[in-house]
Amino acid sequence: MSRKDTVGEIMITQEQILARAKEIGNQIAKEYAGEGVILIGILRGAVLWMADLMKEIDLDVEIDFMACSSYGAATKTSGVVKINKDLDSDIEGKNVIIVEDIVDSGITLNYLKGYLENRSPKSIKICALLDKPEGRRADLVVDYVGFTVEDKFIVGYGLDFNQKYRQLPYISCLSE
Ligand code: IMP
Ligand code: MG
């Protein structure tokens, strides 16, 4: 089946995403001037966004990755988070920025933030390509948001449905 059969209209183009990565990268460089940051990408969805963002941060930048899953139905999170891959780096005393594809309920990141806070980083912030505020169930501040989207199931630019569509060079949603 071709991806054109199931994927709806383009909601956000690659050009818009690259422009936003530049804006946020510049903002991060200003806010952490004279210091370094470690970007922690949440596999697998954050890979494309993190690659764009890191090129725009003119500071000492380290990167690492974590993978986690939440139990439950395919399109809704259950609230229980399991760590499948932990960090290789020590984050004690470092400025951590967690890079995520999308924040929906906020449960995944709320858990991960607490988990990483226990390792005594100097600071910890969150940067998400997309924010779906209507889905929020946890009290979570997303410090850097690429774009705010409606409560639809989004695919593309790293985001999947059953592991498909991550490679799309734009943000779309599944057509009904
Ligand atoms: P949360 O814990 O509800 O905030 O869920 C966050 C995770 O669920 C994200 O990292 C995504 O992997 C996944 N997710 C939430 N909404 C979507 C969506 O619209 N498309 C694809 N994945 C999503
Ligand atoms: Mg994810």
Side-chain angles (χ1 to χ4, degrees):
M1 199 195 308
S2 154
R3 67 199 196 191
K4 292 195 178 62
D5 297 334
T6 43
V7 174
E9 285 171 24
I10 297 180
M11 293 163 62
I12 304 171
T13 65
Q14 178 161 241
E15 289 66 34
Q16 289 174 294
I17 295 170
L18 292 173
R20 196 72 187 107
K22 187 168 248 176
E23 286 174 0
I24 295 176
N26 288 339
Q27 189 186 344
I28 290 172
K30 264 194 204 128
E31 288 179 15
Y32 295 89
E35 305 184 37
V37 294
I38 179 162
L39 305 180
I40 297 180
I42 307 306
L43 294 171
R44 285 164 257 182
V47 165
L48 275 70
W49 170 235
M50 180 142 137
D52 293 340
L53 181 69
M54 62 191 280
K55 287 178 270 185
E56 304 294 348
I57 304 176
D58 188 13
L59 297 173
D60 287 340
V61 175
E62 284 178 59
I63 65 168
D64 202 345
F65 294 94
M66 288 183 80
C68 62
S69 49
S70 63
Y71 297 104
T75 61
K76 282 285 163 198
T77 188
S78 65
V80 183
V81 179
K82 177 170 172 262
I83 308 282
N84 298 321
K85 182 216 172 293
D86 208 323
L87 295 177
D88 294 317
S89 318
D90 184 2
I91 58 166
E92 191 180 334
K94 292 182 185 170
N95 294 306
V96 168
I97 302 178
I98 304 176
V99 182
E100 175 63 301
D101 53 359
I102 187 166
V103 183
D104 183 14
S105 72
I107 288 170
T108 309
L109 278 183
N110 200 40
Y111 177 85
L112 282 182
K113 197 178 176 190
Y115 183 80
L116 295 178
E117 267 163 358
N118 281 333
R119 298 183 187 175
S120 312
K122 179 172 183 193
S123 65
I124 182 159
K125 286 196 182 183
I126 292 172
C127 173
L129 170 59
L130 302 173
D131 184 17
K132 258 201 293 200
E134 285 169 58
R136 200 72 92 253
R137 279 158 59 203
D139 185 17
L140 180 82
V141 177
V142 185
D143 304 279
Y144 308 103
V145 174
F147 302 88
T148 300
V149 291
E150 299 168 53
D151 196 8
K152 288 185 175 170
F153 197 80
I154 310 289
V155 294
Y157 224 84
L159 289 93
D160 73 303
F161 175 67
N162 285 344
Q163 299 306 327
K164 288 194 297 184
Y165 312 117
R166 291 194 197 273
Q167 88 280 21
L168 299 182
Y170 49 82
I171 299 286
S172 185
C173 58
L174 294 180
S175 48
E176 267 119 67

